[in-house]
Amino acid sequence: MQGHLRLKEGFNKVHEAQEKLDEHEEIDWDFWGEIMADYEHVARTKAKQLSEAIQKGIPGALRGTIWELMSASKDMMLEQVYAELLKESSPHEKSILRDLGRTFPNHEYFQDVQGIGQENLFNVVKAYSLYDPEVGYCQGMPFVVAALLLNMPDEEAFCVLIRLMKSYDLRGHFLPEMPGLQLRLYQFDRLVEELLPLLHQHFVRQGVKSSMYCSQWFLTLFSYRFPLDMVFRIFDIIFATGIEAIFGFAIALLEKNEDVLLSLKFDQILDYMKTGLFDTYKVYESPVSPSERPPTRYRADDFVQDAFQVKVSPFMLDTYAAEYEELLRQQNKHLVEMDTLRNVNRHLSAQVKTLESSLAQLNTEHCDLVKQFVMIKLEKEEMESELVKYKMLYAETMLANEDARSSSRISFLSKRSR
Amino acid sequence: MAESGDAPVDKPVQVKLVLLGEAAVGKSSVVMRFVQNDFSENKEPTIGAAFLTQKCRLEDRVLRYEIWDTAGQERFHSLAPMYYRNAQAAVVVYDITKASSLEKAKSWVKELQRQANPNIVIALVGNKLDLVQSPAAAGAAPAGEEAEDEEADDATATPGEGGEQPLPEPEQEGESLRQVPKDEAAAYAQEAGLLFAETSAKTGEGVVEVFTEIAKKIPIEHILASTRGGSGSRAGGAQARPNVTLQEGQQPAGGKACNC
């Protein structure tokens, strides 16, 4: 409630200042005032009007506040947590520091190494890495945070980031293995196939996969290198309708450039995705003076309109998500199968090994036995020959004995006859 | 990609090349130097991957590198196989001022040798050479703390020079940032059968040479044969990999250098 009051105060100030500044822009300040006063009520009772107003673009000065209202991010407790986290140090600090100067390197606010922009960026990203250690730090995240910081103070950006991660399901994009991103890429592929069949065909033939150009769109919510005024409009719609809004914008970009893309080859397509996509929305103004070129402007309203024309229904997305789940299940089943087979195989191999070793043992035992057998046989033969020898000896002795007896008998007889 | 058929001899030979390495070692900067001969100090980190092409002339042949520049953060690792699966060449980059980045490079090399095309030509590249080569002017700068440290090591300092501390040589001062000795990385590269070079994407030193050396080692006939056949056939016999070490100055500038 307290936060609400503060917001309202802020609105009044902005409103006054703004009214003096630009009269040419047609902004329905009364309606935006109503929104600021009681967002919930307006969202309930004037949903259509609200959605139309957001499609036309949230006034820049109110943008941050409205984002906070739409995502219901105001949370004093969380801001307290943020303040506490700032005192801690994160294991990801080195990686975060390394990327600070590499986030929006061409934006004045983030250019100074000592500047408030990089400091805030570091603080929010570091605090988040501590707040959600499972996600920790992931490249791409600072771009989202930077877009927030250009519209609100750091502690509020921290709270909105947490909403984006949790309620808007951005967290899955940044988790290890990036399951959320993989799902979105699959859904996007199917959407292209369904809504832009010709282009889909062309991409398949050229070997262009959505992950080759789309990962950075989805991971940074298009803030990676696209014109900021377009990026903020995308954020407007994401906060209002949910993360699925990214599909509308992505498809719109392809659709708007379909003819060009169909005429390009693989490498030209990828190049064009990086640099050429927004050209169709460029406003070509004749320079006011020859020396001064006006800054590039884009027809952001048309872009948002085009994105809203894209027919992406929740039903389609759910169907594709279910397909993807099934695909994952199949893949998993396959993996599990492979795993069990591998296990069985390992088990069998082990068995073969034990069998082999016992066979080897049996073989050596067999060998030993054979050797013993041979030895015994040899012994036996030896004994037999010995036996024969003894028998012979015995026979000889017997013979000698006989001889001796007979000769003595003869002599006895001859003595008697004498 | 989809092109096939009998290519005339002077038609460029397509070579798929992938860049791998730890985050912020300068992969994208090396490619940018090679492709556009340009350098920018603060580049956005590569999210997902980026694709670039560049032609390279080698004697009578023209090669066309199709380069996949990948994201370095570990979290994007699961996306990498898609980019190196069909690659014929890989440049694995580390940062010579960061020891841990060589370890990461080694693990990439291992993964490539296990999972990628068996004929893949791999170059190990130590980037950020400019950081250890302080310009001559730095030698005259007042000696900082690092210089004092150097002094302590220098036990053989001649006592005859009076109280005046000899200024450290500019090279030494710069070298103190170096964490990966060149010999160590070169020895590893030799052992693992990789091309090796140290480069500076910032000054451009050694960058083009890496790609020319790769071009020399690519089995061009093999690629031509496989593209003619329509499918990337996997000739089993691993190509003999002579251990080549790139050295600055070893190569004549011009002539064989890439036309970029």
Side-chain angles (χ1 to χ4, degrees):
Chain A
M1 227 41 240
Q2 209 184 352
H4 232 129
L5 284 177
R6 237 176 59 187
L7 286 178
K8 231 155 95 182
E9 254 171 58
F11 170 72
N12 286 336
K13 261 187 241 155
V14 167
H15 184 183
E16 280 164 30
Q18 204 69 25
E19 256 184 336
K20 282 175 211 153
L21 266 172
D22 47 13
E23 284 138 16
H24 61 280
E25 269 187 65
E26 302 160 35
I27 294 170
D28 186 350
W29 285 107
D30 292 338
F31 184 61
W32 283 111
E34 227 178 294
I35 295 170
M36 300 287 284
D38 193 346
Y39 174 78
E40 291 295 322
H41 182 72
V42 176
R44 254 199 323 274
T45 55
K46 301 178 184 170
K48 193 155 180 282
Q49 201 184 345
L50 176 63
S51 133
E52 275 166 13
I54 292 167
Q55 277 183 54
K56 278 188 203 142
I58 300 170
L62 302 181
R63 181 161 270 135
T65 318
I66 302 286
W67 285 358
E68 289 173 60
L69 285 171
M70 288 195 287
S71 60
S73 71
K74 263 288 168 192
D75 187 336
M76 287 304 175
M77 292 281 280
L78 210 51
E79 287 185 19
Q80 206 68 49
V81 171
Y82 173 69
E84 289 301 315
L85 289 176
L86 286 189
K87 295 174 200 157
E88 292 176 38
S89 71
S90 159
H92 301 282
E93 239 155 72
K94 263 193 183 165
S95 311
I96 298 170
L97 279 171
R98 215 174 38 203
D99 287 342
L100 280 187
R102 307 169 77 194
T103 307
F104 287 6
N106 300 316
H107 196 290
E108 199 188 354
Y109 185 67
F110 295 105
Q111 263 170 356
D112 185 2
V113 183
Q114 311 271 310
I116 183 78
Q118 286 202 18
E119 187 187 328
N120 282 340
L121 188 58
F122 174 74
N123 283 341
V124 175
V125 175
K126 184 197 88 175
Y128 188 80
S129 76
L130 287 163
Y131 180 82
D132 184 355
E134 203 190 338
V135 166
Y137 172 65
C138 180
Q139 284 185 331
M141 212 152 69
F143 286 85
V144 176
V145 175
L148 298 178
L149 282 173
L150 289 171
N151 289 287
M152 63 188 75
D154 57 331
E155 70 274 9
E156 291 171 23
F158 177 74
C159 296
V160 174
L161 178 66
I162 283 169
R163 278 272 163 259
L164 273 178
M165 288 292 196
K166 283 191 180 158
S167 319
Y168 287 79
D169 211 15
L170 197 58
R171 194 167 173 269
H173 288 197
F174 295 119
L175 277 171
E177 304 292 312
M178 308 180 154
L181 179 70
Q182 307 284 3
L183 166 65
R184 301 267 179 253
L185 289 175
Y186 180 83
Q187 289 173 312
F188 183 67
D189 275 331
R190 294 287 282 114
L191 282 172
V192 176
E193 189 178 350
E194 183 77 28
L195 302 171
L196 306 167
L198 267 182
L199 200 59
H200 171 75
Q201 270 292 322
H202 183 60
F203 281 178
V204 169
R205 263 190 220 126
Q206 291 295 323
V208 174
K209 296 194 174 83
S210 61
S211 60
M212 294 175 179
Y213 58 89
C214 217
S215 315
Q216 45 183 253
W217 296 359
F218 291 174
L219 277 177
T220 66
L221 303 180
F222 295 89
S223 64
Y224 186 55
R225 266 180 200 161
F226 288 156
L228 261 188
D229 29 350
M230 302 292 248
V231 171
F232 290 157
R233 296 295 292 272
I234 297 176
F235 273 59
D236 287 353
I237 307 301
I238 289 174
F239 279 117
T241 66
I243 193 80
E244 291 78 11
I246 56 177
F247 292 122
F249 287 103
I251 295 281
L253 278 176
L254 294 189
E255 196 172 16
K256 202 76 184 163
N257 292 283
E258 189 172 9
D259 292 340
V260 183
L261 288 168
L262 282 174
S263 70
L264 300 178
K265 286 195 167 168
F266 178 78
D267 45 329
Q268 299 166 314
I269 293 173
L270 293 181
D271 198 45
Y272 190 79
M273 293 282 191
K274 273 189 291 189
T275 53
L277 281 180
F278 279 94
D279 286 355
T280 92
Y281 290 109
K282 240 182 209 164
V283 180
Y284 291 97
E285 288 169 299
S286 47
V288 190
S289 63
S291 58
E292 218 179 309
R293 272 194 34 206
T296 321
R297 283 189 32 210
Y298 295 89
R299 291 180 289 113
D301 287 339
D302 293 353
F303 181 39
V304 175
Q305 282 313 313
D306 289 341
F308 266 84
Q309 295 305 313
V310 177
K311 293 279 165 280
V312 179
S313 66
F315 175 73
M316 289 163 95
L317 292 179
D318 288 348
T319 312
Y320 300 152
E323 276 177 27
Y324 182 67
E325 297 274 295
E326 183 55 32
L327 206 76
L328 275 191
R329 227 192 327 271
Q330 292 296 337
Q331 261 173 19
N332 251 329
K333 221 168 84 187
H334 188 70
L335 279 183
V336 168
E337 218 170 288
M338 289 272 285
D339 227 45
T340 21
L341 280 179
R342 215 172 278 142
N343 269 338
V344 169
N345 195 8
R346 202 175 301 136
H347 192 71
L348 286 175
S349 301
Q351 247 175 357
V352 168
K353 228 179 210 167
T354 29
L355 284 177
E356 269 173 354
S357 71
S358 59
L359 177 67
Q361 208 182 336
L362 282 177
N363 268 338
T364 49
E365 267 169 43
H366 178 73
C367 266
D368 285 350
L369 283 178
V370 168
K371 234 184 266 166
Q372 267 178 32
F373 179 71
V374 170
M375 292 300 282
I376 289 171
K377 223 172 167 183
L378 279 176
E379 250 167 71
K380 193 182 143 210
E381 261 164 40
E382 221 169 280
M383 272 156 93
E384 263 170 8
S385 65
E386 232 163 288
L387 187 66
V388 170
K389 220 162 78 194
Y390 284 125
K391 268 186 182 161
M392 295 281 282
L393 259 166
Y394 176 74
E396 261 170 48
T397 0
M398 286 300 276
L399 210 65
N401 218 355
E402 199 98 324
D403 276 357
R405 226 189 284 166
S406 65
S407 65
S408 70
R409 202 185 299 146
I410 289 167
S411 62
F412 174 75
L413 280 177
S414 60
K415 255 183 209 169
R416 260 233 296 231
S417 63
R418 234 187 263 166
Chain B
M1 277 269 117
E3 309 167 310
S4 62
D6 298 348
V9 183
D10 50 351
K11 206 184 168 206
V13 183
Q14 318 271 351
V15 177
K16 294 181 181 49
L17 184 146
V18 64
L19 264 103
L20 300 164
E22 202 181 64
V25 295
K27 295 178 291 299
S28 304
S29 296
V30 168
V31 188
M32 176 109 104
R33 173 61 70 189
F34 176 56
V35 173
Q36 293 167 5
N37 196 19
D38 197 6
F39 177 80
S40 63
E41 197 73 47
N42 280 315
K43 265 188 67 63
E44 293 102 337
T46 307
I47 310 269
F51 182 80
L52 301 100
T53 61
Q54 172 66 303
K55 283 185 187 147
C56 181
R57 186 175 296 280
L58 183 79
E59 284 150 22
D60 56 335
R61 272 262 156 63
V62 179
L63 271 69
R64 183 168 175 274
Y65 280 116
E66 301 182 333
I67 304 166
W68 274 114
D69 176 20
T70 64
Q73 202 192 8
E74 186 56 32
R75 197 146 313 183
F76 295 87
H77 195 136
S78 56
L79 301 173
M82 164 177 154
Y83 299 110
Y84 68 63
R85 201 171 293 135
N86 298 312
Q88 286 117 0
V91 175
V92 181
V93 186
Y94 68 95
D95 173 354
I96 60 172
T97 68
K98 197 172 173 218
S100 66
S101 69
L102 179 65
E103 293 314 307
K104 182 69 206 170
K106 285 181 183 173
S107 85
W108 274 121
V109 169
K110 227 186 256 166
E111 180 165 341
L112 285 172
Q113 289 178 335
R114 215 176 43 234
Q115 318 244 34
N117 178 350
N119 290 321
I120 193 165
V121 176
I122 306 174
L124 180 72
V125 169
N127 192 37
K128 306 201 184 177
L129 193 55
D130 52 282
L131 290 181
V132 302
Q133 298 168 323
S134 42
E145 281 162 51
E146 280 170 349
E148 306 262 323
D149 287 346
E150 291 283 342
E151 197 52 41
D153 287 341
D154 196 4
T156 55
T158 31
E161 288 194 359
E164 189 69 67
Q165 302 273 359
L167 276 174
E169 282 175 48
E171 259 179 35
Q172 272 183 324
E173 186 177 300
E175 284 289 319
S176 62
L177 273 176
R178 183 190 276 275
Q179 283 188 9
V180 181
K182 188 173 179 179
D183 305 348
E184 187 193 315
Y188 160 71
Q190 177 132 23
E191 189 188 322
L194 320 171
L195 293 165
F196 171 70
E198 288 191 339
T199 63
S200 162
K202 190 170 181 176
T203 65
E205 183 175 343
V207 173
V208 174
E209 287 83 347
V210 169
F211 292 86
T212 345
E213 283 306 302
I214 290 173
K216 285 188 200 160
K217 242 181 107 180
I218 288 275
I220 291 177
E221 302 307 325
H222 179 76
I223 293 174
L224 283 176
S226 69
T227 40
R228 237 176 251 135
S231 67
S233 67
R234 288 190 161 219
Q239 196 87 4
R241 286 181 181 150
N243 299 326
V244 183
T245 305
L246 292 180
Q247 229 117 46
E248 304 98 304
Q250 181 194 330
Q251 240 180 288
K256 292 171 186 171
C258 293
N259 57 335
C260 49

